[in-house]
Coordinates of all heavy atoms in Angstrom, one line a residue:
M737 N 0.9 -1.2 -0.1 CA 0.1 0.0 0.0 C 0.9 1.2 0.0 O 1.8 1.3 0.7 CB -0.9 0.0 1.2 CG -1.8 1.0 1.3 SD -3.1 0.7 2.5 CE -3.5 2.2 3.0
K738 N 0.4 2.3 -0.8 CA 1.3 3.5 -0.9 C 1.0 4.4 0.2 O -0.2 4.5 0.8 CB 1.0 4.2 -2.2 CG 1.5 3.4 -3.4 CD 1.2 4.3 -4.7 CE 1.6 3.5 -5.9 NZ 1.3 4.2 -7.1
T739 N 2.0 5.1 0.7 CA 1.7 6.1 1.8 C 1.7 7.5 1.2 O 2.3 7.8 0.3 CB 2.8 6.0 2.9 OG1 4.0 6.2 2.2 CG2 2.9 4.7 3.5
K740 N 1.0 8.4 1.8 CA 0.8 9.7 1.3 C 2.1 10.6 1.9 O 2.5 10.4 3.0 CB -0.4 10.4 1.9 CG -1.6 10.0 1.2 CD -2.8 10.9 1.7 CE -4.1 10.6 1.0 NZ -5.2 11.4 1.5
T741 N 2.6 11.4 0.9 CA 3.6 12.3 1.4 C 3.2 13.7 1.2 O 2.3 14.0 0.3 CB 4.8 12.0 0.5 OG1 4.5 12.3 -0.8 CG2 5.4 10.6 0.7
S742 N 3.7 14.5 2.0 CA 3.3 15.9 1.9 C 4.0 16.6 0.8 O 5.0 16.1 0.4 CB 3.6 16.7 3.3 OG 5.0 16.6 3.4
A743 N 3.3 17.6 0.3 CA 3.8 18.4 -0.9 C 5.1 19.0 -0.4 O 5.2 19.5 0.7 CB 2.8 19.4 -1.3
P744 N 6.0 19.3 -1.3 CA 7.3 20.0 -0.9 C 7.0 21.4 -0.6 O 6.1 22.0 -1.2 CB 8.2 19.9 -2.2 CG 7.3 19.5 -3.3 CD 6.1 18.7 -2.6
V745 N 7.6 22.0 0.4 CA 7.5 23.3 0.9 C 8.3 24.2 0.1 O 9.4 24.0 -0.2 CB 7.9 23.4 2.4 CG1 7.8 24.9 2.8 CG2 7.2 22.5 3.3
K746 N 7.5 25.2 -0.6 CA 8.2 26.2 -1.4 C 8.9 27.4 -0.6 O 8.4 27.7 0.5 CB 7.2 26.9 -2.3 CG 6.5 26.0 -3.4 CD 5.6 26.9 -4.2 CE 5.0 25.9 -5.2 NZ 4.0 26.6 -6.1
A747 N 10.0 27.7 -1.0 CA 10.8 28.7 -0.2 C 10.3 30.0 -0.7 O 9.8 30.3 -1.8 CB 12.2 28.6 -0.8
K748 N 10.4 30.9 0.3 CA 9.8 32.3 0.1 C 10.8 33.0 -0.9 O 12.0 32.8 -0.7 CB 9.7 33.1 1.4 CG 8.6 32.5 2.3 CD 8.5 33.4 3.5 CE 7.4 32.9 4.4 NZ 7.2 33.8 5.5
K749 N 10.2 33.8 -1.7 CA 11.1 34.6 -2.6 C 11.7 35.8 -1.8 O 10.9 36.4 -1.1 CB 10.3 35.1 -3.8 CG 9.8 34.0 -4.7 CD 9.0 34.6 -5.9 CE 8.4 33.5 -6.8 NZ 7.6 34.1 -7.8
P750 N 12.9 36.1 -2.2 CA 13.5 37.3 -1.5 C 12.8 38.6 -2.0 O 12.4 38.6 -3.2 CB 15.0 37.2 -1.9 CG 15.0 36.4 -3.0 CD 13.9 35.3 -3.0
A751 N 12.9 39.6 -1.2 CA 12.3 40.9 -1.6 C 13.2 41.5 -2.7 O 14.4 41.4 -2.7 CB 12.2 41.8 -0.4
K752 N 12.5 42.0 -3.7 CA 13.2 42.6 -4.8 C 13.7 44.1 -4.3 O 12.9 44.8 -3.8 CB 12.3 42.8 -6.0 CG 11.9 41.5 -6.6 CD 11.1 41.5 -7.8 CE 10.6 40.1 -8.4 NZ 9.8 40.3 -9.5
A753 N 14.9 44.4 -4.8 CA 15.5 45.7 -4.5 C 14.7 46.8 -5.3 O 14.4 47.8 -4.7 CB 17.0 45.7 -4.8
Q754 N 14.4 46.5 -6.6 CA 13.7 47.5 -7.5 C 12.6 46.7 -8.2 O 12.7 45.4 -8.5 CB 14.7 48.0 -8.5 CG 15.9 48.7 -8.0 CD 16.7 49.1 -9.1 OE1 16.3 49.2 -10.4 NE2 18.0 49.5 -9.0
P755 N 11.6 47.4 -8.6 CA 10.6 46.8 -9.4 C 11.1 46.6 -10.8 O 12.0 47.4 -11.2 CB 9.4 47.7 -9.4 CG 10.0 49.1 -9.0 CD 11.1 48.8 -8.1
P756 N 10.6 45.7 -11.6 CA 11.1 45.5 -12.9 C 11.0 46.8 -13.7 O 9.9 47.4 -13.5 CB 10.4 44.3 -13.4 CG 9.2 44.1 -12.5 CD 9.5 44.7 -11.2
A757 N 11.8 47.0 -14.6 CA 11.6 48.1 -15.5 C 10.5 48.0 -16.4 O 10.2 46.9 -16.9 CB 12.9 48.3 -16.3
K758 N 9.7 49.1 -16.5 CA 8.5 49.1 -17.3 C 8.8 49.2 -18.7 O 9.6 50.0 -19.2 CB 7.6 50.3 -16.9 CG 6.2 50.3 -17.5 CD 5.4 51.3 -17.0 CE 3.9 51.1 -17.4 NZ 3.1 52.2 -16.8
K759 N 8.1 48.3 -19.5 CA 8.5 48.2 -21.0 C 7.9 49.5 -21.6 O 6.9 49.9 -21.4 CB 7.8 47.1 -21.6 CG 8.2 46.8 -23.0 CD 7.6 45.6 -23.5 CE 7.7 45.4 -24.9 NZ 7.2 44.3 -25.6
Q760 N 8.7 50.2 -22.5 CA 8.4 51.3 -23.3 C 7.4 50.9 -24.2 O 7.5 49.9 -24.9 CB 9.5 52.0 -23.9 CG 10.2 53.0 -23.0 CD 11.1 53.8 -23.9 OE1 11.8 53.3 -24.7 NE2 11.2 55.1 -23.6
S761 N 6.4 51.9 -24.5 CA 5.4 51.5 -25.5 C 6.0 51.9 -26.9 O 7.1 52.7 -26.9 CB 4.2 52.4 -25.4 OG 4.4 53.8 -25.5
K762 N 5.6 51.4 -28.0 CA 6.2 51.6 -29.3 C 5.9 53.2 -29.6 O 6.9 53.6 -30.2 CB 5.4 50.8 -30.3 CG 5.7 49.3 -30.3 CD 5.1 48.5 -31.3 CE 5.5 47.1 -31.2 NZ 4.9 46.2 -32.1
Q763 N 4.8 53.8 -29.2 CA 4.7 55.2 -29.4 C 5.8 55.9 -28.7 O 6.4 56.9 -29.4 CB 3.4 55.6 -28.9 CG 3.0 57.2 -29.2 CD 1.7 57.5 -28.7 OE1 0.7 56.8 -29.1 NE2 1.6 58.6 -27.9
S764 N 6.2 55.7 -27.4 CA 7.1 56.3 -26.8 C 8.5 56.1 -27.3 O 9.4 57.0 -27.3 CB 7.2 56.1 -25.3 OG 7.6 54.7 -25.1
Q765 N 8.8 54.9 -28.0 CA 10.0 54.6 -28.6 C 10.2 55.4 -29.8 O 11.2 55.9 -30.2 CB 10.1 53.1 -28.9 CG 10.3 52.2 -27.8 CD 10.2 50.7 -28.0 OE1 9.8 50.4 -29.2 NE2 10.6 49.8 -27.2
L766 N 9.0 55.6 -30.5 CA 9.0 56.4 -31.7 C 9.3 57.9 -31.4 O 10.1 58.6 -32.1 CB 7.6 56.4 -32.5 CG 7.4 55.2 -33.4 CD1 6.0 55.4 -34.0 CD2 8.4 55.1 -34.5
I767 N 8.8 58.4 -30.4 CA 9.1 59.7 -29.9 C 10.5 60.0 -29.6 O 11.1 60.9 -30.1 CB 8.2 60.2 -28.7 CG1 6.8 60.3 -29.1 CG2 8.6 61.4 -28.1 CD1 5.6 60.3 -28.0
D768 N 11.1 59.0 -28.9 CA 12.6 59.0 -28.6 C 13.4 59.1 -29.8 O 14.4 59.9 -30.0 CB 13.0 57.9 -27.7 CG 12.5 58.0 -26.3 OD1 12.0 59.0 -25.8 OD2 12.4 56.9 -25.7
L769 N 13.0 58.2 -30.8 CA 13.8 58.1 -32.2 C 13.6 59.5 -33.0 O 14.5 60.0 -33.6 CB 13.1 57.0 -33.0 CG 14.0 56.5 -34.1 CD1 15.3 56.0 -33.6 CD2 13.2 55.4 -34.8
L770 N 12.3 60.1 -32.9 CA 12.2 61.4 -33.6 C 12.8 62.6 -32.9 O 13.0 63.7 -33.6 CB 10.6 61.6 -33.6 CG 9.8 60.8 -34.8 CD1 8.4 60.8 -34.4 CD2 10.2 61.1 -36.1
K771 N 13.2 62.5 -31.6 CA 13.9 63.6 -30.9 C 15.3 63.7 -31.2 O 16.0 64.7 -30.8 CB 13.7 63.4 -29.5 CG 12.2 63.8 -28.9 CD 12.2 63.7 -27.5 CE 10.8 64.1 -27.0 NZ 10.7 64.1 -25.5
K772 N 15.9 62.8 -31.9 CA 17.3 62.8 -32.3 C 17.5 64.1 -33.2 O 16.6 64.4 -34.1 CB 17.7 61.5 -33.1 CG 17.7 60.4 -32.3 CD 18.5 59.1 -33.0 CE 18.1 59.0 -34.4 NZ 18.7 57.8 -35.1
K773 N 18.6 64.7 -33.1 CA 18.9 65.9 -33.9 C 18.8 65.5 -35.5 O 18.5 66.4 -36.3 CB 20.3 66.5 -33.6 CG 20.2 67.3 -32.4 CD 21.5 68.1 -32.2 CE 21.2 69.0 -31.0 NZ 22.2 70.1 -30.9
T774 N 19.3 64.3 -35.7 CA 19.3 63.9 -37.2 C 18.0 63.4 -37.8 O 17.8 63.3 -38.9 CB 20.5 62.8 -37.4 OG1 20.1 61.7 -36.5 CG2 21.8 63.2 -37.0
G775 N 17.1 63.2 -36.7 CA 15.8 62.7 -37.1 C 15.8 61.1 -37.6 O 16.8 60.5 -37.3
T776 N 14.8 60.8 -38.2 CA 14.7 59.3 -38.6 C 13.9 59.2 -39.9 O 13.1 60.1 -40.1 CB 14.1 58.4 -37.5 OG1 14.2 57.1 -37.7 CG2 12.7 58.9 -37.1
T777 N 14.1 58.0 -40.4 CA 13.3 57.8 -41.6 C 12.1 56.8 -41.3 O 12.0 56.2 -40.4 CB 14.2 57.1 -42.8 OG1 14.6 55.8 -42.2 CG2 15.4 58.0 -43.0
I778 N 11.1 56.7 -42.3 CA 10.0 55.8 -42.2 C 10.6 54.3 -42.1 O 10.1 53.6 -41.1 CB 9.1 55.9 -43.3 CG1 8.3 57.3 -43.4 CG2 8.1 54.8 -43.4 CD1 7.2 57.4 -42.4
E779 N 11.6 54.0 -42.7 CA 12.2 52.7 -42.7 C 12.6 52.3 -41.3 O 12.4 51.2 -40.9 CB 13.2 52.4 -43.7 CG 12.7 52.4 -45.2 CD 12.4 53.8 -45.8 OE1 13.0 54.9 -45.3 OE2 11.6 53.9 -46.7
E780 N 13.3 53.2 -40.7 CA 13.9 53.1 -39.4 C 12.7 52.9 -38.4 O 12.7 52.0 -37.5 CB 14.8 54.2 -38.9 CG 16.1 54.3 -39.6 CD 16.9 55.5 -39.3 OE1 16.3 56.5 -38.8 OE2 18.0 55.5 -39.5
M781 N 11.6 53.7 -38.6 CA 10.4 53.5 -37.5 C 9.8 52.2 -37.8 O 9.3 51.7 -36.9 CB 9.6 54.7 -37.8 CG 10.3 56.0 -37.3 SD 9.1 57.5 -37.3 CE 9.4 57.9 -39.1
M782 N 9.8 51.7 -39.0 CA 9.1 50.4 -39.4 C 9.8 49.4 -38.7 O 9.2 48.4 -38.2 CB 9.0 50.3 -40.9 CG 8.0 51.2 -41.7 SD 8.2 51.1 -43.3 CE 8.0 49.4 -43.8
I783 N 11.2 49.3 -38.9 CA 11.9 48.3 -38.2 C 11.9 48.3 -36.7 O 11.7 47.3 -36.1 CB 13.5 48.6 -38.5 CG1 13.7 48.3 -40.0 CG2 14.4 47.7 -37.8 CD1 15.0 48.7 -40.6
L784 N 11.8 49.5 -36.1 CA 11.6 49.6 -34.7 C 10.3 49.0 -34.2 O 10.3 48.3 -33.1 CB 11.7 51.1 -34.2 CG 11.5 51.3 -32.7 CD1 12.7 50.9 -31.8 CD2 11.2 52.8 -32.5
T785 N 9.3 49.3 -34.8 CA 7.9 48.9 -34.3 C 7.4 47.6 -35.0 O 6.5 47.0 -34.4 CB 6.9 50.1 -34.7 OG1 6.9 50.2 -36.1 CG2 7.2 51.3 -33.9
G786 N 7.9 47.4 -36.2 CA 7.3 46.2 -36.9 C 6.0 46.5 -37.6 O 5.3 45.7 -38.1
W787 N 5.7 47.8 -37.7 CA 4.5 48.2 -38.3 C 4.8 48.6 -39.9 O 6.0 48.7 -40.3 CB 4.0 49.6 -37.8 CG 3.6 49.5 -36.4 CD1 3.1 48.3 -35.7 CD2 3.5 50.6 -35.5 NE1 2.9 48.7 -34.5 CE2 3.0 50.0 -34.3 CE3 3.8 52.0 -35.5 CZ2 2.8 50.8 -33.2 CZ3 3.6 52.8 -34.4 CH2 3.0 52.1 -33.2
Q788 N 3.7 48.7 -40.6 CA 3.9 49.1 -42.1 C 4.0 50.6 -42.1 O 3.7 51.3 -41.3 CB 2.6 48.5 -42.9 CG 2.7 47.0 -43.0 CD 1.5 46.5 -43.8 OE1 0.9 47.2 -44.3 NE2 1.4 45.1 -43.7
A789 N 4.5 51.1 -43.3 CA 4.7 52.5 -43.6 C 3.4 53.3 -43.4 O 3.5 54.4 -42.7 CB 5.2 52.7 -45.0
H790 N 2.3 52.8 -43.8 CA 1.1 53.6 -43.6 C 0.6 53.7 -42.1 O 0.1 54.8 -41.7 CB -0.1 53.1 -44.5 CG -0.6 51.8 -44.1 ND1 0.0 50.6 -44.5 CD2 -1.6 51.4 -43.3 CE1 -0.6 49.6 -43.9 NE2 -1.6 50.1 -43.2
T791 N 1.0 52.8 -41.4 CA 0.7 52.8 -39.9 C 1.5 53.8 -39.3 O 1.1 54.6 -38.4 CB 0.9 51.5 -39.3 OG1 0.1 50.5 -40.1 CG2 0.4 51.4 -37.8
V792 N 2.9 53.8 -39.6 CA 3.8 54.8 -39.1 C 3.4 56.2 -39.4 O 3.3 57.1 -38.5 CB 5.2 54.4 -39.5 CG1 6.2 55.6 -39.1 CG2 5.8 53.2 -39.1
R793 N 3.0 56.5 -40.6 CA 2.5 57.8 -41.0 C 1.3 58.2 -40.3 O 1.1 59.4 -39.9 CB 2.3 57.9 -42.6 CG 3.7 58.0 -43.3 CD 3.5 58.2 -44.8 NE 2.6 57.2 -45.4 CZ 3.3 56.2 -46.0 NH1 4.5 55.9 -46.1 NH2 2.4 55.3 -46.6
G794 N 0.5 57.3 -40.1 CA -0.9 57.5 -39.4 C -0.6 57.9 -37.9 O -1.2 58.8 -37.4
I795 N 0.4 57.3 -37.3 CA 0.7 57.6 -36.0 C 1.3 58.9 -35.8 O 1.0 59.7 -34.9 CB 1.7 56.5 -35.3 CG1 1.0 55.2 -35.1 CG2 2.4 56.9 -34.1 CD1 0.0 55.2 -34.0
I796 N 2.1 59.3 -36.8 CA 2.7 60.6 -36.9 C 1.7 61.7 -36.9 O 1.7 62.7 -36.0 CB 3.8 60.7 -38.0 CG1 5.0 59.9 -37.6 CG2 4.2 62.2 -38.2 CD1 5.9 59.7 -38.8
S797 N 0.8 61.6 -37.8 CA -0.2 62.6 -38.0 C -1.4 62.6 -37.1 O -1.8 63.6 -36.5 CB -0.9 62.5 -39.4 OG -1.6 61.3 -39.6
G798 N -1.8 61.4 -36.6 CA -2.9 61.3 -35.6 C -2.5 61.4 -34.2 O -2.9 62.4 -33.5
A799 N -1.6 60.6 -33.7 CA -1.3 60.5 -32.3 C -0.3 61.5 -32.0 O -0.6 62.3 -31.0 CB -0.8 59.1 -31.9
L800 N 0.8 61.7 -32.7 CA 1.8 62.6 -32.3 C 1.5 64.1 -32.6 O 1.7 64.9 -31.6 CB 3.1 62.2 -33.1 CG 3.6 60.8 -32.8 CD1 4.9 60.6 -33.5 CD2 3.7 60.5 -31.3
K801 N 1.0 64.3 -33.7 CA 0.7 65.7 -34.2 C -0.7 66.2 -33.6 O -0.6 67.3 -32.8 CB 0.6 66.0 -35.7 CG 2.0 65.9 -36.3 CD 1.8 66.2 -37.8 CE 3.1 66.3 -38.5 NZ 3.0 66.6 -39.9
K802 N -1.7 65.5 -33.7 CA -3.0 66.0 -33.4 C -3.3 65.6 -31.9 O -3.6 66.7 -31.2 CB -4.1 65.3 -34.2 CG -4.2 65.7 -35.8 CD -5.2 64.9 -36.5 CE -5.1 65.3 -37.9 NZ -5.9 64.5 -38.7
R803 N -3.1 64.5 -31.4 CA -3.5 64.3 -30.0 C -2.5 64.7 -29.0 O -2.8 65.4 -28.0 CB -3.6 62.8 -29.9 CG -4.2 62.3 -28.5 CD -4.7 60.9 -28.6 NE -3.7 60.0 -28.9 CZ -3.0 59.2 -28.2 NH1 -3.1 59.3 -26.8 NH2 -2.0 58.4 -28.8
L804 N -1.1 64.6 -29.4 CA -0.1 65.2 -28.3 C 0.4 66.5 -28.6 O 1.0 67.1 -27.8 CB 1.0 64.1 -28.4 CG 0.8 62.7 -27.9 CD1 1.9 61.7 -28.0 CD2 0.2 62.7 -26.4
G805 N 0.0 67.1 -29.9 CA 0.4 68.4 -30.1 C 1.9 68.6 -30.3 O 2.5 69.6 -30.2
L806 N 2.7 67.5 -30.8 CA 4.1 67.6 -31.1 C 4.3 68.2 -32.4 O 3.4 67.9 -33.4 CB 4.7 66.2 -31.0 CG 4.6 65.5 -29.6 CD1 5.2 64.1 -29.8 CD2 5.4 66.3 -28.7
N807 N 5.3 69.0 -32.7 CA 5.7 69.6 -33.9 C 6.7 68.7 -34.6 O 7.8 68.6 -34.6 CB 6.3 70.9 -33.8 CG 6.5 71.7 -35.0 OD1 5.8 71.5 -36.0 ND2 7.4 72.5 -35.0
V808 N 6.2 67.7 -35.4 CA 6.8 66.8 -36.3 C 7.0 67.3 -37.7 O 6.0 67.7 -38.4 CB 6.1 65.4 -36.4 CG1 7.0 64.4 -37.2 CG2 6.0 64.8 -35.0
V809 N 8.2 67.6 -38.0 CA 8.6 68.2 -39.4 C 9.2 67.0 -40.3 O 9.8 66.1 -39.8 CB 9.5 69.3 -39.3 CG1 8.9 70.5 -38.7 CG2 10.9 68.9 -38.7
S810 N 9.0 67.2 -41.6 CA 9.4 66.3 -42.5 C 10.3 67.0 -43.6 O 10.0 68.0 -44.0 CB 8.3 65.7 -43.4 OG 8.7 65.0 -44.5
I811 N 11.5 66.4 -43.8 CA 12.6 67.0 -44.5 C 12.9 66.2 -45.7 O 13.3 65.0 -45.4 CB 13.8 67.5 -43.7 CG1 13.3 68.3 -42.6 CG2 14.9 68.0 -44.7 CD1 14.4 68.4 -41.5
A812 N 12.8 66.6 -46.9 CA 13.2 65.8 -48.1 C 14.7 65.8 -48.3 O 15.2 67.0 -48.3 CB 12.5 66.2 -49.3
G813 N 15.3 64.6 -48.4 CA 16.8 64.6 -48.5 C 17.1 64.6 -50.1 O 16.3 64.5 -51.0
A814 N 18.4 64.9 -50.4 CA 18.8 64.9 -51.8 C 18.7 63.5 -52.5 O 18.4 63.6 -53.7 CB 20.3 65.4 -51.8
S815 N 18.8 62.5 -51.8 CA 18.7 61.1 -52.4 C 17.3 60.6 -52.5 O 17.0 59.5 -52.8 CB 19.5 60.2 -51.6 OG 19.1 60.1 -50.2
G816 N 16.3 61.5 -52.1 CA 14.8 61.2 -52.2 C 14.3 60.6 -51.0 O 13.2 60.3 -51.0
T817 N 15.2 60.4 -49.9 CA 14.7 59.9 -48.6 C 14.1 61.1 -47.9 O 14.6 62.2 -47.9 CB 15.8 59.2 -47.9 OG1 16.8 60.1 -47.7 CG2 16.2 58.0 -48.6
R818 N 13.1 60.7 -47.1 CA 12.4 61.8 -46.2 C 12.8 61.4 -44.8 O 12.7 60.4 -44.4 CB 10.9 61.7 -46.5 CG 10.2 62.8 -45.8 CD 8.8 62.9 -46.4 NE 8.8 63.4 -47.8 CZ 8.9 64.8 -48.1 NH1 9.0 65.7 -47.2 NH2 8.8 65.1 -49.3
T819 N 13.2 62.6 -44.0 CA 13.5 62.4 -42.7 C 12.5 63.2 -41.8 O 12.1 64.3 -42.2 CB 14.9 63.1 -42.4 OG1 15.9 62.5 -43.3 CG2 15.4 62.8 -41.0
Y820 N 12.1 62.5 -40.8 CA 11.2 63.1 -39.8 C 11.8 63.4 -38.5 O 12.7 62.6 -38.1 CB 10.0 62.1 -39.7 CG 9.2 61.8 -40.8 CD1 9.6 60.8 -41.7 CD2 8.0 62.6 -41.2 CE1 8.9 60.5 -42.9 CE2 7.3 62.3 -42.3 CZ 7.8 61.3 -43.1 OH 7.0 61.0 -44.2
R821 N 11.4 64.5 -37.8 CA 12.0 64.7 -36.5 C 11.1 65.7 -35.8 O 10.3 66.5 -36.4 CB 13.3 65.2 -36.5 CG 13.6 66.7 -37.0 CD 15.1 67.0 -37.1 NE 15.2 68.4 -37.5 CZ 15.4 69.3 -36.7 NH1 15.5 69.2 -35.4 NH2 15.6 70.6 -37.1
I822 N 11.1 65.6 -34.5 CA 10.4 66.5 -33.6 C 11.2 67.8 -33.3 O 12.3 67.7 -32.9 CB 10.0 65.8 -32.2 CG1 9.0 64.7 -32.5 CG2 9.3 66.7 -31.3 CD1 8.7 63.9 -31.4
T823 N 10.6 68.9 -33.5 CA 11.2 70.2 -33.3 C 10.6 71.0 -32.2 O 9.6 70.5 -31.7 CB 11.2 71.2 -34.5 OG1 9.8 71.4 -34.8 CG2 11.9 70.4 -35.7
E824 N 11.1 72.0 -31.7 CA 10.4 72.9 -30.6 C 9.1 73.3 -31.1 O 9.0 73.7 -32.2 CB 11.4 74.0 -30.3 CG 12.7 73.6 -29.5 CD 12.4 73.1 -28.1 OE1 11.5 73.6 -27.5 OE2 13.1 72.2 -27.8
V825 N 8.2 73.3 -30.1 CA 6.9 73.8 -30.5 C 6.9 75.3 -30.4 O 7.4 75.8 -29.3 CB 5.8 73.2 -29.4 CG1 4.4 73.7 -29.8 CG2 5.9 71.6 -29.6
K826 N 6.4 75.9 -31.4 CA 6.4 77.4 -31.3 C 5.1 77.8 -30.5 O 3.9 77.3 -30.7 CB 6.1 78.0 -32.8 CG 7.3 77.6 -33.7 CD 7.2 78.2 -35.1 CE 8.2 77.8 -35.9 NZ 8.1 78.2 -37.2
T827 N 5.3 78.7 -29.6 CA 4.3 79.2 -28.8 C 3.8 80.5 -29.3 O 4.6 81.4 -29.7 CB 4.9 79.5 -27.2 OG1 5.9 80.3 -27.2 CG2 5.1 78.1 -26.7
S828 N 2.6 80.7 -29.3 CA 1.9 82.0 -29.9 C 1.9 83.1 -28.9 O 1.7 83.0 -27.7 CB 0.5 81.7 -30.3 OG 0.5 80.7 -31.2

């Protein structure tokens, strides 16, 4: 006949010194990328987020410009590439 054994006792977890770092949202990662002095391209933003080009452009115009009121400028380069960056907001 088999005898019952008690379940193993789990050790208590030690207290954490710091809470785990909060993961940045894709939108906040885009904002950080756009704040660079050199700016960024649609292709770089697509790689960062995994989004398609039309989604990146939609976030720029909808969320960043309209909802958050950021001044995102687009600069056409000599090689036909377009660079986007956030500039200082002009106050009236």
Side-chain angles (χ1 to χ4, degrees):
M737 186 166 154
K738 293 183 181 180
T739 59
K740 286 187 174 183
T741 57
S742 61
V745 177
K746 292 183 181 179
K748 291 184 179 181
K749 294 181 182 178
K752 295 181 182 178
Q754 301 178 13
K758 192 172 184 180
K759 185 178 175 184
Q760 267 192 320
S761 68
K762 289 182 181 181
Q763 180 176 313
S764 64
Q765 290 174 347
L766 279 180
I767 292 171
D768 290 342
L769 198 59
L770 288 163
K771 283 184 178 179
K772 293 189 320 185
K773 283 192 175 199
T774 57
T776 186
T777 63
I778 289 284
E779 289 77 21
E780 290 172 339
M781 291 184 273
M782 288 170 57
I783 291 168
L784 174 73
T785 60
W787 295 337
Q788 293 182 6
H790 66 274
T791 306
V792 172
R793 287 190 298 270
I795 289 295
I796 290 171
S797 69
L800 303 183
K801 285 184 175 181
K802 292 178 185 173
R803 191 168 46 105
L804 297 177
L806 299 173
N807 190 24
V808 181
V809 295
S810 168
I811 303 157
S815 62
T817 59
R818 189 162 288 280
T819 304
Y820 297 85
R821 70 184 183 99
I822 295 174
T823 61
E824 288 293 320
V825 179
K826 295 179 183 177
T827 56
S828 304

